[in-house]
Amino acid sequence: MARTIKNPKKAKRKNKGSKKGDGASTSASVPKFQPRVWQPGVDELEEGEELQCDPSAYNSLHAFHIGWPCLSFDIVRDSMGSDRKDFPHTVYFVAGTQAEKASWNSIGVFKVSNVSGKRRELVPTKSEDDPEKDGEDSDSDDSEDEEEGGSGAPVLQLRKVAHHGCVNRIRAMTQNPHICASWADSGHVQVWDFSSHLNALAESETEGTQGASAVFNQAPLVNFRGHKDEGYAIDWSPVVPGRLVTGDCKNCIHLWEPTSGSTWNVDATPFIGHSASVEDLQWSPTEPHAFVSCSVDGTIAIWDIRIGKSPAASFKAHDADVNVISWNRQASCMLASGSDDGTFSIHDFRLLKDGNTVVAHFKYHKFPVTSIEWSPHEASTLAVSSSDNQLTIWDLSLEKDEEEEAEFKAQTKEEVNAPDDLPPQLLFVHQGQKDLKELHWHTQIPGMVVSTAADGFNILMPSNIQSTLPSNGS
């Protein structure tokens, strides 16, 4: 399992000289090392020390890979219902590989089942008679948690579809999740129908197909060659089924309109308003004609497809490249943006007329932000990944509360003093993956986040993210 850590109150560190016991008593002549809480931004790892995961920080945590690293993936909406809380879980994905040779690439359509876990108390119970006992018995506690959380490891069932060249980005359509669009490093955008693969996975048993090596040769529904360069920006409209926008590194954006018979008309005349590469695109969660784009030129542009090929509005968002954006589906006036300088900002479109849309700006990450996404369940919560190998989760509704912190310390009997410059909105820090590239919340399983990196995927459900779906079920 990948080395992972939680926020400052949960991450532990251990001296490498300490070994797990086998049930025998410890000799008095052997020094005993107690785990200590590690605080990001405060503590440095000393020689001979390593970070170790504290399982109590997660309701669920699993790692897996499908072979070659995947720069991009998407969670495929399924028919098993929303607001799923009972373990074990089953999750469907599509992902595109970054293979050493162009001909070795594929799009993976896969199911991960038996995702076990355990819903934990936010304040762990400790023995009042012996406060040291919690650290001594952590290994046995972990094993008990694993038994209560489900039997066996998650099961991966994979079907591969041949794809020439690396996949820069891939997205599944919300309304028809078997339809997926992919950006290739060759400059082609392709639309696929993966219904046969998803149906086969849904009907298959949980054993027997793990690590399948067969590669299916399948023709895409559409293979668009109209972009002048490769790109990364792509998004399906959540309002109009089949409506798509794609943006390339030559600052061009093309609109795709669905027609009858699983085909699309792609407008040959691009939308142009940026002076550099278009890095990301997001359709409005409520308006059928509006989308936003971000660019290496540091700006964010707002577009209305009814009024020509130029932006309806544009504003400077960051002092460096704007890598990623996310439009809040619970509060449609809010947009989040992540930059190459490690900062991310929250914009309120209601302030456009005032000339400054930024309502919050965070400088926690020290390397480029690679992915950002609002929670589909909580309007004030979002997740961010960065090249600093951290995935962070934030709740923008939180403020510093010294009385609450004192009460927490008293209940847990832990002496943890957060750094003064640590934002109170920071809920959770997840580490252990190398070269994090993309993350997504699961829209049907509250609190579940999935991330991809150079060393594979993580499925995580932090124990302090107790989410429920909105009352309207959206």
Side-chain angles (χ1 to χ4, degrees), residues 177-200:
H178 61 282
I179 302 296
C180 300
S182 62
W183 245 123
D185 65 355
S186 60
H188 299 167
V189 180
Q190 298 172 320
V191 176
W192 306 82
D193 183 348
F194 291 140
S195 57
S196 63
H197 304 288
L198 291 167
N199 290 338

Side-chain angles (χ1 to χ4, degrees), residues 27-28 31 39 93 113-114 127 174-175 178 227 300 369 382 414 444:
S27 170
Q39 303 173 79
F93 299 92
S113 56
N114 197 40
S127 169
T174 302
Q175 303 89 341
H178 61 282
H227 281 285
I300 290 174
V369 172
L382 77 162
E414 288 186 355
Q444 297 170 276

Side-chain angles (χ1 to χ4, degrees), residues 273-327:
H274 291 291
S275 60
S277 172
V278 178
E279 295 295 281
D280 203 2
L281 290 160
Q282 286 274 280
W283 282 102
S284 166
T286 57
E287 301 296 329
H289 306 291
F291 69 89
V292 292
S293 60
C294 66
S295 171
V296 168
D297 64 16
T299 67
I300 290 174
I302 304 171
W303 309 78
D304 187 330
I305 63 176
R306 300 169 297 181
I307 58 172
K309 303 294 184 179
S310 297
S314 181
F315 57 91
K316 186 73 172 179
H318 291 272
D319 294 330
D321 305 3
V322 187
N323 295 333
V324 286
I325 48 177
S326 179
W327 203 324

Side-chain angles (χ1 to χ4, degrees), residues 323-468:
N323 295 333
V324 286
I325 48 177
S326 179
W327 203 324
N328 194 323
R329 298 196 178 192
Q330 301 300 320
S332 60
C333 61
M334 309 300 287
L335 183 84
S337 61
S339 175
D340 219 44
D341 62 9
T343 65
F344 69 94
S345 296
I346 310 301
H347 308 269
D348 188 337
F349 288 136
R350 295 171 297 184
L351 303 178
L352 263 174
K353 60 181 181 297
D354 299 329
N356 183 13
T357 62
V358 177
V359 293
H361 184 70
F362 296 91
K363 299 180 179 181
Y364 174 81
H365 290 285
K366 307 303 181 186
F367 291 89
V369 172
T370 57
S371 188
I372 192 167
E373 189 170 287
W374 290 101
S375 166
H377 310 120
E378 300 289 343
S380 62
T381 301
L382 77 162
V384 181
S385 68
S386 169
S387 297
D388 62 10
N389 299 327
Q390 294 188 69
L391 186 159
T392 54
I393 298 177
W394 305 73
D395 185 345
L396 304 184
S397 67
L398 296 180
E399 296 181 354
K400 188 175 180 63
D401 189 327
E402 294 182 357
E403 291 184 4
E404 187 178 78
E405 288 184 8
E407 182 181 352
F408 183 91
K409 289 179 185 179
Q411 287 180 285
T412 60
K413 297 183 174 64
E414 288 186 355
E415 290 297 327
V416 179
N417 296 306
D420 292 335
D421 60 349
L422 193 69
Q425 296 82 9
L426 180 59
L427 274 184
F428 197 92
V429 178
H430 172 79
Q431 287 183 299
Q433 291 179 277
K434 297 179 181 178
D435 199 13
L436 275 160
K437 290 300 184 184
E438 195 168 274
L439 65 85
H440 294 295
W441 296 87
H442 199 302
T443 59
Q444 297 170 276
I445 305 177
M448 177 180 284
V449 179
V450 184
S451 56
T452 185
D455 51 0
F457 292 85
N458 275 189
I459 297 176
L460 57 139
M461 298 182 71
S463 61
N464 64 344
I465 310 295
Q466 306 290 356
S467 299
T468 56

Side-chain angles (χ1 to χ4, degrees), residues 90-219:
T90 297
V91 188
Y92 290 84
F93 299 92
V94 289
T97 64
Q98 299 281 307
E100 186 177 336
K101 293 184 179 180
S103 60
W104 293 353
N105 281 288
S106 64
I107 294 175
V109 185
F110 54 102
K111 176 174 75 172
V112 180
S113 56
N114 197 40
V115 178
S116 60
K118 176 185 178 183
R119 187 168 293 275
R120 303 176 188 276
E121 297 296 329
L122 292 181
V123 179
T125 302
K126 288 191 175 184
S127 169
E128 294 182 2
D129 297 331
D130 187 3
E132 297 278 329
K133 188 177 180 180
D134 179 68
E136 294 178 10
D137 292 346
S138 60
D139 293 338
S140 60
D141 291 344
D142 294 349
S143 62
E144 290 177 7
D145 288 343
E146 290 172 5
E147 292 174 1
E148 293 176 20
S151 59
V155 177
L156 169 68
Q157 296 169 265
L158 171 67
R159 293 170 71 90
K160 300 177 183 177
V161 176
H163 183 279
H164 188 81
C166 296
V167 178
N168 289 348
R169 197 160 287 175
I170 188 167
R171 292 291 181 265
M173 189 194 305
T174 302
Q175 303 89 341
N176 299 296
H178 61 282
I179 302 296
C180 300
S182 62
W183 245 123
D185 65 355
S186 60
H188 299 167
V189 180
Q190 298 172 320
V191 176
W192 306 82
D193 183 348
F194 291 140
S195 57
S196 63
H197 304 288
L198 291 167
N199 290 338
L201 291 171
E203 295 169 2
S204 65
E205 299 296 329
T206 56
E207 295 89 13
T209 58
Q210 184 169 0
S213 58
V215 179
F216 296 89
N217 289 309
Q218 176 179 330

